[in-house]
Amino acid sequence: DAGVTQSPTHLIKTRGQHVTLRCSPISGHKSVSWYQQVLGQGPQFIFQYYEKEERGRGNFPDRFSARQFPNYSSELNVNALLLGDSALYLCASSLGGQTLYSNQPQHFGDGTRLSIL
Amino acid sequence: GENVEQHPSTLSVQEGDSAVIKCTYSDSASNYFPWYKQELGKRPQLIIDIRSNVGEKKDQRIAVTLNKTAKHFSLHITETQPEDSAVYFCAAKKVYGGSQGNLIFGKGTKLSVKP
């Protein structure tokens, strides 16, 4: 079975531009979470989605938005890019469904390395 | 909100020795504690997790202990091997009504196992 897949793997943008990152969860997983990992730090939670609805939001500005599609894939959008947005963006999936409120393992993709010039 | 502290930030051991990484959390309602291993340039990989109704869990050379009273949990790796070298992250999460909650990560421990 394929794991969590993310695209693109690397991306270079300039300040002020916008970016869209994509994530496909593990087959059968209905919940997707997004994290930002700055070099030398642990991942920081951005969003969680389940059944196309936002179920959680971290402490990130409104320039960050996301959505989930009927096939459970997800997109993370970042507008008006700043130098500080340079990071590894990780997507993680978990089962969701009737077990949404239980403690389910989250499995990560390889991430998208975003560099802002 | 939840805060997770992780120590040490770097750890160097000889092959065959044991390694211990410790984390403390602030929110007593947290009830799920996973550990991830991240090799350079790769994804975080779940290596073991523990729920708040359990005090200890073991999987081959890896074990995790949880002390809910003190709000700390630890990762123990025995008989370390060079391939155990990586950055290890602890995390905490609480599940509450209407949301599955989100993982709060520590800052990581860089483990180096010397042959």
Side-chain angles (χ1 to χ4, degrees), chain B:
Chain B
E2 175 67 283
N3 184 49
V4 176
E5 299 282 343
Q6 183 171 347
H7 299 280
S9 56
T10 59
L11 180 59
S12 182
V13 299
Q14 285 296 132
E15 182 177 1
D17 287 350
S18 295
V20 180
I21 303 170
K22 299 181 179 182
C23 288
T24 59
Y25 60 98
S26 59
D27 190 342
S28 57
S30 290
N31 51 17
Y32 175 66
F33 308 93
W35 286 87
Y36 287 85
K37 173 185 179 182
Q38 189 174 29
E39 297 176 65
L40 192 62
K42 296 192 175 181
R43 69 180 71 184
Q45 278 192 304
L46 179 68
I47 56 172
I48 196 167
D49 57 10
I50 191 167
R51 289 159 175 78
S52 57
N53 58 346
V54 175
E56 185 174 357
K57 184 177 178 180
K58 191 174 181 180
D59 182 4
Q60 299 183 336
R61 297 187 295 109
I62 295 173
V64 57
T65 58
L66 171 65
N67 183 326
K68 286 189 295 182
T69 303
K71 291 189 285 187
H72 68 69
F73 56 113
S74 300
L75 178 71
H76 305 253
I77 306 175
T78 58
E79 301 171 25
T80 54
Q81 302 166 3
E83 50 266 38
D84 293 330
S85 296
V87 178
Y88 290 81
F89 292 98
C90 64
K93 185 177 76 166
K94 66 178 179 182
V95 175
Y96 53 93
S99 171
Q100 201 199 10
N102 51 273
L103 292 172
I104 304 298
F105 283 84
K107 291 188 175 181
T109 297
K110 184 176 181 180
L111 173 65
S112 300
V113 180
K114 298 182 178 180

Side-chain angles (χ1 to χ4, degrees), chain A residues 62-74:
Chain A
D62 292 343
R63 299 185 296 108
F64 288 77
S65 64
R67 56 180 176 167
Q68 187 178 34
F69 299 98
N71 66 352
Y72 306 111
S73 67
S74 178

Side-chain angles (χ1 to χ4, degrees), chain A residues 37 48 100-101 103 106 110, chain B residues 36 38 43 51 95 100:
Chain A
Q37 187 177 24
Q48 185 193 47
L100 177 65
Y101 305 119
N103 288 313
Q106 290 189 14
D110 286 331
Chain B
Y36 287 85
Q38 189 174 29
R43 69 180 71 184
R51 289 159 175 78
V95 175
Q100 201 199 10

Side-chain angles (χ1 to χ4, degrees), chain A residues 9 34 43 51 57 59 69 75-76 80 89 96-97:
Chain A
T9 54
W34 287 94
E51 290 289 7
R57 185 185 187 109
N59 189 23
F69 299 98
E75 283 183 354
L76 175 70
Y89 287 84

Side-chain angles (χ1 to χ4, degrees), chain A:
Chain A
D1 277 345
V4 177
T5 58
Q6 292 186 245
S7 63
T9 54
H10 295 85
L11 205 50
I12 299 175
K13 291 285 188 178
T14 57
R15 284 178 295 176
Q17 287 187 311
H18 70 273
V19 68
T20 298
L21 311 180
R22 295 178 175 82
C23 170
S24 292
I26 292 171
S27 177
H29 283 194
K30 299 180 179 180
S31 181
V32 168
S33 297
W34 287 94
Y35 293 83
Q36 180 196 65
Q37 187 177 24
V38 175
L39 198 61
Q41 301 289 322
Q44 272 202 299
F45 172 72
I46 310 175
F47 287 111
Q48 185 193 47
Y49 274 79
Y50 170 69
E51 290 289 7
K52 298 180 289 181
E53 288 187 8
E54 183 182 302
R55 295 302 184 108
R57 185 185 187 109
N59 189 23
F60 280 81
D62 292 343
R63 299 185 296 108
F64 288 77
S65 64
R67 56 180 176 167
Q68 187 178 34
F69 299 98
N71 66 352
Y72 306 111
S73 67
S74 178
E75 283 183 354
L76 175 70
N77 296 282
V78 187
N79 293 324
L81 288 166
L82 303 174
L83 291 177
D85 295 332
S86 295
L88 179 67
Y89 287 84
L90 293 163
C91 173
S93 75
S94 55
L95 278 170
Q98 290 186 355
T99 54
L100 177 65
Y101 305 119
S102 66
N103 288 313
Q104 306 158 32
Q106 290 189 14
H107 299 275
F108 285 87
D110 286 331
T112 294
R113 174 78 57 192
L114 176 62
S115 299
I116 310 301
L117 303 179

